Amino acid sequence: MYSLILKDFLMLKRMLLLITGLIALFYILENPPIFAISFAGFIFISSAGSFEDRSNSHIMLNSLPINRKSIISSKYIGAIIFGIFAICLSTLFQVVFYFVFDAYDQPFPEVNQLLIGMLCILLFTSIYFPILYKFGEKYTRIITIIIAVGFIVLGQIMMYLLKDKISSIQLFLSQFTATQLLLTGSVITGLLFLLSWLCTIKIYEAKDF
């Protein structure tokens, strides 16, 4: 398992340098850390999946005495490790930009923003990997774009349909603290992540290479 996770990070070491630069750019532009962490996660997860699919390394991996469950599990655990890496990197950059460039009001990012960034990575992983291993990298790009556009269109439709009820929704949400809402989101995302993990294992075990 450890060697499989390490393989992905070594395979994408140049991409990690690019991601580090992008996170730094987000901080230069004084964007909230949630955007830096989420965007970095999207790039890493999609790059890890597409590189392996294009290089047909699945054939090589499945010729080795490696459990298919371990191959998929390494992807999901790798996503969690990368999320922690992105959080640490974002925190480091904010400290540097606070003390060296005086660009932020506080030396450390808000914990809620860091956690939401992590949840975005886990949510994207939950959607991306089942589609990737079911349809392949080529169709995954198309499906991912359709899903992204669908979310935007659906969001606009919901905003239009609920425009007269926004005050009621805000009143309802105001009954809960930010911690309670974040905890609820974490539980839902965690369950989706776990279900996606199990589903992807089933998909991968059924594939022929």
Side-chain angles (χ1 to χ4, degrees), residues 20-21 23-24 27 88-98 104:
T20 301
I23 292 178
Y27 274 87
C88 293
L89 202 58
S90 296
T91 303
L92 176 62
F93 275 123
Q94 183 148 335
V95 170
V96 170
F97 276 76
Y98 175 81
Y104 284 84

Side-chain angles (χ1 to χ4, degrees), residues 147-164 166:
I147 291 174
V149 173
F151 271 120
I152 294 171
V153 172
L154 180 62
Q156 293 298 316
I157 293 174
M158 293 299 293
M159 287 293 293
Y160 176 78
L161 294 176
L162 299 174
K163 63 180 180 180
D164 297 327
I166 290 178

Side-chain angles (χ1 to χ4, degrees), residues 72-93:
I72 296 302
S73 295
S74 70
K75 301 297 181 186
Y76 281 81
I77 295 173
I80 296 172
I81 293 173
F82 177 81
I84 296 171
F85 167 77
I87 286 173
C88 293
L89 202 58
S90 296
T91 303
L92 176 62
F93 275 123

